[in-house]
């Protein structure tokens, strides 16, 4: 009798444990409890290669502020400017490895991944920042971003630096012929090489941090950059002439790791997505403001002679560069170029 009683108690205990386990499993699968609920506790790293007083840094800090506030501190965001974490040469590989969760590279650094990232270097393609923003926010721009998914990378947004302009030490540039024989520092890439080659100029890639010395020593005659970069690096101290051209652009891509992104639950992803939206707005507004202020400062300093191309002078450059434009439009994709052109109409 005692044996039967012990067996009965054992069976009842087993049944109770099994029942509790089943209930626990059901709760977990439904998302009713456990890690699937609520904001995940995370540490996110954002790395970029430029200084603090830049659209990149302003956007990154806005992203940090929003995400940390809305997550009640459960998500920590660490921002690393000035190549403190990774530099131009290794940041993409470290994003792929998920050693960093967000990077903001110059699109010129991505042309080897996909020819669509040559868009900012297409001569006179966009009339202003708004046209460039509209393209990258639209269907074809997002299509280019999606092509990085083969690497385990997700493109989220474009952050502009702005239109580029040429400075040089030799003479005022007003016509395509004025560039003949000059040596110009560019960001690099086959499209920019072709562009300056068509204008009779040599082009070379020099690290941005070494450019002031290269201009000072005459290693190159000139360079192309945004107003904010020209002013903040004081290139007007070692250059006599600046031509306001807007012929090409500097634009950045905000990228994340797909494994990281797919590992976020809905509540966490919504906060980060909204943080990206807020950061993008801040970065875009900051770029426009910094360039406006920089041009005013350059004029006030009066160290460089400034010439702004007229419409007829711009048309002369466009006509001269038609062969380069047509060749690279085909490489990038006629449908993509058509869409980009439509944003400036």
């Amino acid at each position: 009798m005692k044996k039967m009683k012990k067996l009965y108690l054992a069976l009842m205990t087993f049944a109770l444990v099994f029942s509790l386990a089943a209930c626990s499993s059901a709760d977990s699968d439904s998302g009713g409890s456990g890690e699937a609920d609520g904001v995940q506790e995370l540490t996110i790293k954002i790395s970029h290669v430029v200084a603090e007083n830049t659209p990149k840094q302003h956007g990154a800090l806005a992203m940090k502020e929003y995400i940390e506030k809305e997550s009640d501190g459960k998500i920590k965001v660490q921002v690393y400017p000035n190549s403190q974490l990774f530099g131009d040469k290794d940041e993409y590989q470290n994003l792929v490895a998920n050693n960093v969760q967000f990077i903001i590279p110059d699109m010129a650094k991505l042309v080897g991944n996909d020819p669509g990232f040559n868009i900012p270097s297409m001569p006179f393609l966009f009339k202003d920042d708004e046209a460039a923003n509209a393209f990258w926010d639209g269907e074809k721009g997002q299509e280019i971003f999606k092509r990085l998914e083969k690497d385990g990378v997700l493109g989220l947004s474009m952050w502009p630096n702005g239109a580029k302009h040429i400075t040089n030490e030799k003479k005022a540039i007003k016509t395509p012929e004025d560039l003949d024989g000059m040596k110009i520092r560019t960001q690099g890439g086959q499209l920019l090489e072709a562009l300056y080659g068509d204008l009779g100029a040599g082009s070379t890639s020099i690290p941005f941090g070494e450019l002031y010395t290269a201009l000072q020593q005459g290693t190159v005659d000139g360079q192309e950059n945004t107003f904010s970069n020209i002013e903040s690096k004081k290139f007007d101290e070692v250059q006599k002439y600046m031509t306001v051209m807007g012929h090409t652009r500097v634009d950045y891509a905000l990228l994340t790791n797909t494994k990281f992104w797919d590992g976020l639950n809905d509540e966490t992803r919504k906060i980060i997505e909204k943080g990206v939206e807020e950061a993008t707005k801040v970065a875009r507004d900051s770029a426009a403001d910094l360039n406006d202020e920089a041009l005013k400062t350059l004029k006030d300093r009066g160290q460089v002679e400034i010439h702004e191309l007229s419409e007829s002078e711009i048309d002369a450059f466009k006509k001269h560069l038609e062969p380069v434009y047509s060749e690279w439009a085909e490489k990038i994709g006629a449908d993509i170029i058509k869409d980009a052109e439509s944003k400036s109409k």
Side-chain angles (χ1 to χ4, degrees), residues 20-213:
L20 290 172
C23 290
S24 175
S25 175
D27 286 345
S28 178
D29 289 345
S30 69
S33 62
E35 292 183 359
D37 261 357
V39 178
Q40 294 161 274
E41 293 189 9
L42 301 169
T43 298
I44 293 172
K45 296 177 182 178
I46 304 175
S47 175
H48 67 81
V49 302
V50 298
E52 285 84 351
N53 189 28
T54 58
K56 276 192 194 185
Q57 179 73 352
H58 293 174
L61 291 178
M63 190 169 161
K64 169 184 171 67
E65 181 181 357
Y66 183 90
I67 291 172
E68 290 185 340
K69 180 180 178 182
E70 294 301 314
S71 69
D72 291 326
K74 288 185 177 180
I75 305 174
K76 308 295 184 185
V77 182
Q78 300 171 351
V79 179
Y80 298 90
N82 275 318
S83 301
Q84 291 173 1
L85 194 60
F86 302 112
D88 271 332
K89 294 181 179 179
D90 61 353
E91 64 176 359
Y92 191 83
Q93 291 83 353
N94 277 285
L95 180 70
V96 171
N98 202 25
N99 294 329
V100 61
Q101 287 67 54
F102 293 92
I103 62 171
I104 321 161
D106 185 329
M107 289 188 185
K109 308 299 181 184
L110 300 172
V111 296
N113 301 83
D114 189 272
F117 290 103
N118 280 292
I119 284 286
S121 296
M122 282 292 280
F124 301 103
L125 178 57
F126 296 116
K127 68 177 182 179
D128 51 30
D129 285 351
E130 286 71 23
N133 295 342
F135 169 77
W136 289 105
D137 290 346
E139 178 185 353
K140 294 300 180 181
Q142 292 299 306
E143 179 183 310
I144 294 171
F145 278 144
K146 287 182 184 298
R147 294 174 188 172
L148 296 175
E149 291 183 20
K150 66 183 185 299
D151 297 335
V153 171
L154 182 66
L156 297 175
S157 184
M158 180 276 262
W159 292 7
N161 191 330
K164 289 189 286 186
H165 313 280
I166 293 179
T167 68
N168 84 97
E169 181 64 12
K170 287 192 170 182
K171 60 182 176 181
I173 296 170
K174 300 179 180 180
T175 70
E177 292 73 25
D178 289 331
L179 278 156
D180 189 42
M182 286 194 190
K183 192 172 184 179
I184 304 294
R185 181 269 182 186
T186 71
Q187 299 154 283
Q190 293 180 327
L191 174 48
L192 288 175
E193 288 178 11
L195 187 156
Y196 281 99
D198 190 70
L199 293 168
S203 64
T204 186
S205 180
I206 296 172
F208 188 60
E210 301 172 16
L211 183 51
Y212 183 97
T213 301

Side-chain angles (χ1 to χ4, degrees), residues 247-286:
H247 58 305
T248 57
R249 294 183 53 83
V250 179
D251 289 322
Y252 306 125
L254 178 65
L255 308 178
T256 191
N257 175 280
T258 54
K259 185 177 180 180
F260 158 76
W261 194 258
D262 292 342
L264 302 174
N265 64 25
D266 289 343
E267 191 171 347
T268 305
R269 186 181 294 110
K270 285 177 183 177
I271 290 173
I272 296 175
E273 284 177 337
K274 185 64 177 176
V276 167
E277 289 178 19
E278 293 293 319
T280 297
K281 184 178 185 306
V282 168
R284 289 178 176 181
D285 290 345
S286 174

